[in-house]
Amino acid sequence: MRRRRLLARCGVLALSVVLSSCQSPPARDSAPAAAVPHPARFVLTFDDGPSLQQPYNPTTAILDQLASNSVQLGIKAVFFVQTRSPTAGGTPRGQELLRRTRDEGHVIALHSGSARGHKNHRWLSPVELDQSLNDGAADIRALTGHDPTLVRPPYWQYDARTQSVYQAHGLAMLLTDISARDGKIWGWHISLRRRSHFHSKLAEVRRAIQEDRLPVVDGVVPVVVTFHDTNDFTASHMQEYLEILVEESRRVGLPLAPEPFYNAAASVERVARLRAEIGIYAAER
C-alpha cells in the first residue's frame, strides 16, 4: 500500500512537471549588444471569418478587444474574409458581422469569394478561380465602396498561376512575419506555448530588422502578425496576445513604436499592401 501511494505521488509530480514546462515563460534572451536601427509596429491580420459560432462569437469578441484593451485603444486590423461561404459571410449573420467590421474601421480583404467556401485556389479551374475573385471583389466593393487590394489564399496555398491571376485582379498577396498557429478550430486548439512561440518569432523579426531585410515605412517596420477570428481560444485570449506581443518584444530587445499597433485603416492597408508587393518576410517559408 505504501509503495502504491509513493508511485501515485511520483506520477502526480511528473504530471505537474510536464504541465509547468508547457506553461512556464520562455528563457529570457539577454539584450543583444547591437542596436536595432528602427522600431516595429504590428499589423494584425485575421483569417477565415466572420465566425458564425454562437452563443460565444469569436469575431465579435475580437472586435470588442481590439476596440478596448489595456495595451492600445482602437487597434485596426486586416480581416481576410469569406464573402459567400455558407459558414461565414454568405449568411445574414455573417453579413452583419462584416458590416460591423467595416463600421469599426478595419480593412476588409479577400480570402475566398466562393460559395463553396474555403477552397484551395491551386485546385480551382481557371474559370472558377477567376469567378471567385470577381465575386469576392464585388462583395467587398458593395460593402466598403471600393475594390479590395489584398488577398490571402485559403490554406496559404498558391503557385505562379494563382499569383498571376491575383495580379490581374489588382490584388497583392499578403503572407506573414508571425503566425499564431491557431488555424485549427476543432478538437484541441489551445496554445499552451503561446508565449514561448511568440518570443522565438519576435527574435526572428529582430534579426530580420537588424539585417535590413524588412522595409521601413514612416520610420517604423510594419510587422505582420496572423490570427484566425474563427478560433474561440484566440478570441477569448486576444488581450493576452496583445500583451504578449509587447512584453516579449521588450524581452528580445525589439524596440516598438510609441503606439505598437496601427489605429487607422488607411495606414494599415497602405503598409500591408507595401509588404505584400515586396513579398519578403522575417522567416521565409
Side-chain angles (χ1 to χ4, degrees):
M1 180 67 71
R2 181 178 180 185
R3 178 179 176 81
R4 286 199 298 271
R5 286 199 299 268
L6 180 60
L7 289 172
R9 289 177 60 190
C10 289
V12 171
L13 179 60
L15 178 61
S16 67
V17 169
V18 170
L19 290 175
S20 65
S21 68
C22 291
Q23 298 172 334
S24 59
R28 305 304 179 205
D29 296 344
S30 57
V36 177
H38 304 284
R41 177 174 287 147
F42 298 116
V43 179
L44 299 184
T45 68
F46 295 88
D47 287 5
D48 290 358
S51 171
L52 300 183
Q53 293 182 47
Q54 292 291 355
Y56 180 81
N57 183 265
T59 298
T60 296
I62 285 171
L63 290 172
D64 289 343
Q65 291 169 83
L66 293 179
S68 180
N69 60 77
S70 64
V71 179
Q72 180 181 324
L73 299 179
I75 296 171
K76 306 306 179 190
V78 182
F79 286 81
F80 289 93
V81 302
Q82 302 185 71
T83 64
R84 299 196 178 189
S85 170
T87 61
T91 64
R93 175 60 173 156
Q95 287 293 309
E96 178 185 341
L97 287 168
L98 288 176
R99 288 192 294 271
R100 176 181 169 184
T101 304
R102 173 204 64 194
D103 292 345
E104 295 190 5
H106 300 286
V107 177
I108 308 292
L110 183 57
H111 198 42
S112 171
S114 172
R116 297 201 295 130
H118 199 265
K119 298 300 179 182
N120 191 325
H121 285 175
R122 292 180 63 196
W123 308 133
L124 297 183
S125 70
V127 171
E128 188 174 7
L129 176 57
D130 193 65
Q131 186 64 54
S132 70
L133 296 177
N134 280 332
D135 289 344
D139 295 336
I140 292 174
R141 188 184 313 116
L143 179 70
T144 66
H146 59 80
D147 290 325
T149 63
L150 298 165
V151 64
R152 180 172 282 163
Y155 305 106
W156 295 48
Q157 293 293 308
Y158 60 92
D159 54 23
R161 177 183 73 96
T162 61
Q163 287 184 281
S164 176
V165 176
Y166 298 155
Q167 291 170 3
H169 283 263
L171 296 166
M173 184 181 73
L174 182 69
L175 299 181
T176 198
D177 298 302
I178 301 174
S179 170
R181 302 188 304 187
D182 64 343
K184 184 176 180 181
I185 61 171
W186 304 113
W188 180 267
H189 60 275
I190 295 171
S191 176
L192 294 177
R193 295 184 177 274
R194 54 194 176 277
R195 185 173 288 274
S196 60
H197 169 67
F198 275 91
H199 182 89
S200 64
K201 293 303 177 183
L202 287 162
E204 289 180 2
V205 168
R206 185 192 192 285
R207 286 191 292 273
I209 295 175
Q210 198 160 26
E211 293 166 5
D212 199 27
R213 290 192 281 116
L214 299 181
V216 180
V217 184
D218 300 328
V220 301
V221 177
V223 175
V224 184
V225 185
T226 297
F227 299 93
H228 288 73
D229 65 310
T230 50
N231 187 311
D232 57 3
F233 181 84
T234 295
S236 62
H237 290 76
M238 197 66 239
Q239 170 151 316
E240 180 188 354
Y241 276 119
L242 300 176
E243 294 168 353
I244 286 173
L245 283 166
V246 172
E247 292 166 1
E248 296 307 318
S249 293
R250 185 182 308 116
R251 286 169 177 141
V252 303
L254 173 64
L256 298 179
E259 290 187 335
F261 301 91
Y262 284 87
N263 57 12
S267 297
V268 172
E269 189 161 13
R270 179 169 64 91
V271 299
R273 174 84 188 196
L274 176 63
R275 290 298 313 271
E277 290 171 347
I278 293 172
I280 297 174
Y281 301 93
E284 292 296 337
R285 299 180 73 196

